[in-house]
Structures are given as structure tokens and as C-alpha cells.
Amino acid sequence: MKTLIETGFSKDFLWGGATAANQIEGAYNIGGKGLSTSDFAAYKDPYQSGKVDNFTFNVSSKELEEYIANPDQYQFPKRWGINFYERYKEDIALFAEMGFKVFRLSVSWARIFPTGLEESPNEEGLAFYDKVFDECAKYGIEPLVTLSHYEMPITLTQKYNGWISRELIPLFEKFAKVVLERYKHKVKYWITFNEMNMNLNSLYTGAGVLEDLVENKLETAYQASHHQFLASALAVKACRKIIPHAQIGCMINMIEAYAKTTKPEDQLQALKSNQLNLFYPDVQVQGEYPRYMNRFFAENNIQIHTQPGDEQILKEGTVDFVAISYYMSHVAEFREDAAKLAGTFDSPIKNEYLELSQWDWPIDPIGLRISLLKLYDRYHLPLFVCENGLGARDEVAPDGKIYDDYRIDYIRKHIMEMKEAVKDGVELMGYTTWGCIDLISCGTSQMSKRYGFIYVDLDDEGKGTMDRTRKESFHWYKKVIQSNGEDLT
Ligand code: BGP
């Protein structure tokens, strides 16, 4: 048998960058948009130290009440974003200058259905994304659209406490169908839910749930996830019908757990921790709940309410590809209460071999290769790295330039490992670095946690001109794309 080893990225590899509506658009109350859950992500004092150890934000019912009553007392940076709403032409032109083949963005549910409950969509909201996709098309950039990226109309939190309620499924299906129908000639790459596995970490961010109102958080996370699985499967089914040539994927935050030692108990713990993470794509790829969850649910008193027909929906709505965000790996060790911690990424254990980012995120490029190999072994489906990047404080030098060699170094090492994974046989569709333009942080609502190739003149309090400047990494990434990942110098 002749052996063929891939030597690099395929010629149609999708290079680009990724964003989310709530972190870039701003214009939170313009064009008929309703308020979203993310419009209540307040910027809080402790974040200023840059040492917050969290991934996603939570809001309690008391906080929400207070934010609604006294909005002027707080700052909500996701309300202003980087004003992509008005500056999208300039931004897309810059992406095109870098040679982007793909641009990942999300559609704000509340821009299309302001409360989520309307019968018909908000035309102004739909028209906005038409303009964005048309602008992409001008440069031959394919949009990769996430239907749900960490936001939903706040009304659905107030009325139903988010995805804990089954009522959200038909409401989301309606939204998804409207969007798929409207953009069927403009968008062929889709992702249903962003990082659904983060429901285990923040119920508010992932599922619009005020967690102080629920008794059993873990059970709620799985119940909300069950509803999202169904909503995702229904969106996949609709997509197949409306846009037969499209590709639609699921997505998780991939955090590979390494065992702390060679002790078998630690190894088993790592395996179980990885199972709890991969549970999400397992359902969305295989169309059914994996058997290992039965024991986990039983031992943790988790009862998921289902209805006849749910199994069928999951079976019929399996995805075409698996997308991941990848920022770090994780260390697992055996402990009696491991079940409580499993899957929550709440590990205090440091990996002594890895350096940390300024926000204490372990930097592990080889972990990306390991993740890709494991995912491909498990699913045999094309993979897409749709988020990866370094959140760092950038300084504007006296000459006006931003010398972000640390970011170049980070991305270079991750691309090298992706390339090794391709040589190892992984089918990789594309790579979109997170926050290709500086944007508001998801977890901390900071502007100073920057990921971009493009600097945006804006501080944590929303002050600045919002002018865009090319960083050193901009020129470097352009070369990378031009050479299809060969020139990484
Ligand atoms: C992912 C989210 C993104 C993003 C990124 C970086 O989990 O999908 O929305 O923001 O993480 O996180 P942060 O912004 O908290 O640094």
C-alpha cells in the first residue's frame, strides 16, 4: 500500500479570525435590538488587577434587578463593544488585507427577535447582517456563523430563567430558521452553539440562567444542555433542508486533562474528566447520550427531564464537523470529590512545565496537537480550530506601533502543532484566531485583555477614539496566510 503523508495545510484551508456579536458590535439599543444577557455583564473592580481566575461571567437575580433599576451606576462594556456595528466596513477591509479566507462571527438573537417572543423578525437587524455578509463577499471572505454565542434576549431569562425551560427550544428554532433562510445564499459554514460545555462553568453565560434561583446547579446545567442539544439538532435539521450544500458543526471549549502522575487513579481521573468534556460533542456527533453518563447522572442525583421524540431529534440532527476553541490544558488528580469538580475546569493544580499568560492561562501548544489527534480518533470528522489566541496587555510604543512579538510567538507555536496534527492524519478545515481584532473580553468584560492583530484605541472604561491600528502581528499573519502556513518566521 502506498503511504501518503500530508505535508501541510490543504490548499483550501480556511485561514481567518473569530469574533462574537456581543463582544464587538456595540449598538446595544440601536436598530431595534432588544437587551441581551451579555448587556448585563458589568465591568467589576477586581478585574482591574488582571488576575481574575474566571472564564465566563455570572449574574445573580439580585444583580440583574439592580442593573435594570440603576444602569447608570455601572459600566457594561459589551454594550459599546468596538462599534463594529458602524465600523464593519473598515474592519472587514483590514481582514481582507491580511488575506482572510474566513471570518467567524455570531448573529445576535436579540437583534433579530428583540425579546425572543415576537412572531416576526426585526427587519433592521436582519438587514445589518446582510450588509456584513455582502461586505465579506466583496473580498471573497466566507462567513462562519455561530447561531448562539453567549447571549440571548434578557426577556427569556426573566420569563423562563433561560435554557432551564423547554420553552426556549421552539423559540430558538424559529430564530435559527429565519436566519438560515435569510442568509442561505450568503453563508455556507455554520456552528450551532458556542462552547456548550461551558454551561458547567457559568449557567448565566452559557444558558441565560440566574443560578441563585436554582436548587441543583449541576443538574440545571445538564437540563439546560439537554434543551440546547435539542435546539442544536433542530437547527442542523433545518440547515440541511434550507441550505443543502452547507456545513454545520458543533463546538466545545477543548481543555484536555492530563493526569497529574502515572498513578492509575490519576490516569482514571483524567480520563473521566475528559469524558465529561467530550460528552458534548459525543451527543452532537453520535446523536445519542453516551453510556458513561448514566453512572455519572445516577451518582450525582441528576435527573434529566426528557420527552418522547427527543431521542429521534438528537439522532436526526448530528453535525458535519467538530469545532473547538483551544486556549489551555488542565491537570487532573484523583480526589474523593472529583465528581463535583469534573468538567468544571476548576482545577487549582498547576502544570509545572507550562508558562502562564498574564491572566494565568497555561500556554500549551502541544496540547492542541494532542486534542486534535484525540478528537479525530474519536469522531473521524473534519475539525475546525475556531478559537485560539493570547489575551495580553499591549503597549503602544512611542513610534505609534504595537510590537506584539509574544502574540506572534504564541500563534506560531500553535500553528506548528496544528501542522504536525495534519501530518498525523487529522482533517483540519480551518483556523480562526480568537479576537482577530481587539474586543471586549468575554470573561472579564475588559478591553485591556487584547487578542487582536488590529489594535483598537479604547480602554476598560470605554474611553478612546476606537481608531484601528495594525499591530506587528498583523503583518506576520498576512505572511502566514499568503504562504498557507509555510512561512512562520
Ligand atoms: C471563549 C469564548 C470567547 C472568548 C474567549 C476568550 O471561551 O468563546 O467568547 O472571549 O473564550 O475568553 P476571554 O475573553 O474571557 O479572555
Side-chain angles (χ1 to χ4, degrees), residues 18-20 22-23 54-57 78 104 149-150 194-195 198 205 251-253 325-328 359 361 386-392 434-435 439-446 449-451:
T19 60
N22 74 91
Q23 292 169 264
N54 68 352
F55 292 80
T56 43
F57 61 93
K78 288 172 188 162
R104 177 175 177 230
H149 193 135
Y150 285 166
N194 184 64
E195 297 183 343
M198 295 306 275
T205 304
M251 185 214 170
I252 58 161
N253 184 351
S325 57
Y326 178 82
Y327 294 92
M328 67 187 83
W359 272 261
W361 290 16
C386 71
E387 279 188 37
N388 171 240
L390 179 70
W434 176 251
L439 40 66
I440 309 290
S441 154
C442 166
T444 68
S445 287
Q446 285 172 304
K449 190 178 187 189
R450 297 173 182 274
Y451 286 87

Side-chain angles (χ1 to χ4, degrees), residues 76-249:
F76 303 105
K78 288 172 188 162
R79 294 187 181 196
W80 58 72
I82 54 163
N83 198 11
F84 177 79
Y85 189 78
E86 284 177 341
R87 304 182 78 137
Y88 67 93
K89 285 193 181 174
E90 180 185 351
D91 294 343
I92 293 169
L94 286 164
F95 301 154
E97 191 182 323
M98 274 186 279
F100 277 23
K101 316 274 182 227
V102 64
F103 171 41
R104 177 175 177 230
L105 72 167
S106 69
V107 173
S108 160
W109 188 350
R111 209 175 269 297
I112 309 300
F113 288 95
T115 66
L117 301 168
E118 294 79 1
E119 281 307 313
S120 19
N122 169 34
E123 174 53 35
E124 224 179 319
L126 287 169
F128 167 66
Y129 295 107
D130 265 324
K131 288 188 289 182
V132 170
F133 299 145
D134 291 346
E135 203 61 23
C136 288
K138 241 169 77 176
Y139 301 102
I141 297 175
E142 293 285 353
L144 165 62
V145 175
T146 316
L147 287 169
S148 175
H149 193 135
Y150 285 166
E151 67 176 320
M152 50 191 269
I154 194 68
T155 310
L156 301 182
T157 292
Q158 295 168 307
K159 191 170 157 82
Y160 299 114
N161 206 9
W163 281 98
I164 192 170
S165 165
R166 221 183 145 95
E167 303 282 342
L168 265 72
I169 301 172
L171 296 173
F172 182 83
E173 191 187 6
K174 176 179 63 180
F175 158 67
K177 281 182 171 163
V178 162
V179 167
L180 291 162
E181 189 60 53
R182 175 75 171 221
Y183 307 120
K184 63 184 171 194
H185 301 302
K186 301 185 180 182
V187 181
K188 61 176 190 239
Y189 298 106
W190 299 87
I191 288 172
T192 58
F193 282 80
N194 184 64
E195 297 183 343
M196 208 195 281
N197 56 326
M198 295 306 275
N199 284 343
L200 297 167
N201 197 254
S202 166
L203 275 170
Y204 184 81
T205 304
V209 173
L210 301 165
E211 62 176 45
D212 56 310
L213 301 184
V214 304
E215 261 172 42
N216 180 342
K217 279 192 226 162
L218 195 59
E219 183 176 66
T220 303
Y222 283 104
Q223 185 66 59
S225 300
H226 181 67
H227 295 149
Q228 291 184 343
F229 282 142
L230 293 167
S232 168
L234 290 165
V236 170
K237 276 179 73 175
C239 184
R240 296 248 152 79
K241 203 161 155 219
I242 300 170
I243 327 177
H245 64 280
Q247 294 193 56
I248 183 159

